[in-house]
Amino acid sequence: MTSLHPRDSSGANAGRALVLGGGGVAGVAWEIGVLSGLADAGVDVRDADLVVGTSAGSVVAAQITGGLPLEELHRRQLEPSTEIAVAFDRERMFAEFARIRGSAISAEDAAAKVGALALAAHTPPEAQRRAVIGSRLPSTAWPDRRVIIVAVDASTGKPRFFDRSSGVPLVDAVAASCAVPGVWPPVTIDGRRYIDGGVRSTTNVDVARGHDRILVVAPFPDLPGPWHPPLPEQLAALAPARTHLIAADAASLEAFGSNPLDPATRAPSTRAGRSQGRTIASIVGEFWASQGDG
């Protein structure tokens, strides 16, 4: 049975964690670009002891552990897309989150209120969405390494942390983590409906607690949520772990445009991410290779 809580240990998980945050279709492409750019400069962070994926980051987590070379994953982002094109009113969503923050009494209450909106929304069918997610993944089998994918129960607001011991298909776990409220359908798993893990946190970086070094790749680290604290506070709470954040630079944000769910953003976003990855490779490489608390 899947653990209902992130694995929190005091030293048992010592090592390096790669945390991949949400950001829509553009975010998937950008993260693949960043990781490719780092690898171009000899910094391959796929050797992390733990990979945590949320929303777009869950797609990337499955992709980079699915057996394909980064170069092939990057090339696929440049190809014509079969993604479902949708309109996305970001300002309206943020306004709704602000309203929920004002009335919620806890993080889970806030997430459940978002879940209620998601359950009532008119969206494409689950089967169609699952097919899209499946087409993104190099393999539909869980990788033989430690990967955790985060989603949220739409009714209770409680998070669920899927891994290879869950007994849940990888495609279902990723589809659940990517179920943007009001845009994509909540995903049915074991009789429960699940929504985007970003409702809990755009990164869920606390899942990596106990690791010595935590690299966070998040295109939109400042995205407001219905409850979660700002990412700098989440990172500070992980002390004494060393953390490093890679967020989208100005050129990448321009590539994302106004709708990060638009499939047309894939090619420009992955190119911008690759350029950014090459630029920051020396700093990230030093962090990734460092030892202890230094």
Side-chain angles (χ1 to χ4, degrees), residues 85-203:
V86 294
F88 177 56
D89 191 335
R90 186 164 47 183
E91 296 306 315
R92 180 178 178 182
M93 176 177 283
F94 294 165
E96 194 62 40
F97 283 173
R99 182 190 66 79
I100 288 171
R101 276 197 302 272
S103 62
I105 59 174
S106 69
E108 289 181 359
D109 181 48
K113 290 178 185 298
V114 174
L117 295 175
L119 290 168
H122 177 72
T123 65
E126 279 189 64
Q128 184 181 12
R129 180 61 176 161
R130 273 190 177 91
V132 169
I133 295 298
S135 71
R136 293 178 176 180
L137 307 186
S139 171
T140 57
W142 282 92
D144 188 24
R145 55 181 300 185
R146 197 150 178 257
V147 175
I148 297 177
I149 290 173
V150 186
V152 172
D153 188 303
S155 296
T156 67
K158 294 180 180 296
R160 189 165 175 188
F161 305 90
F162 298 103
D163 61 19
R164 66 183 179 187
S165 69
S166 304
V168 170
L170 178 63
V171 172
D172 288 358
V174 173
S177 189
C178 292
V180 179
V183 177
W184 303 125
V187 173
T188 305
I189 299 174
D190 299 334
R192 308 292 304 178
R193 305 290 301 282
Y194 290 91
I195 58 174
D196 200 306
V199 172
R200 178 179 186 262
S201 163
T202 54
T203 62

Side-chain angles (χ1 to χ4, degrees), residues 12-76:
N13 287 340
R16 298 177 297 184
L18 174 63
V19 176
L20 301 164
V25 174
V28 171
W30 176 81
E31 290 177 22
I32 289 294
V34 167
L35 297 179
S36 299
L38 291 174
D40 289 343
V43 182
D44 192 344
V45 298
R46 292 175 299 168
D47 61 354
D49 300 288
L50 167 68
V51 181
V52 179
T54 298
S55 198
S58 73
V59 176
V60 178
Q63 288 178 333
I64 66 172
T65 59
L68 284 183
L70 272 174
E71 189 62 40
E72 172 63 15
L73 293 174
H74 177 72
R75 185 190 66 78
R76 290 185 176 196

Side-chain angles (χ1 to χ4, degrees), residues 231-245:
L231 184 55
E233 292 182 21
Q234 297 180 56
L235 295 177
L238 297 174
R242 297 187 64 211
T243 63
H244 184 83
L245 170 64

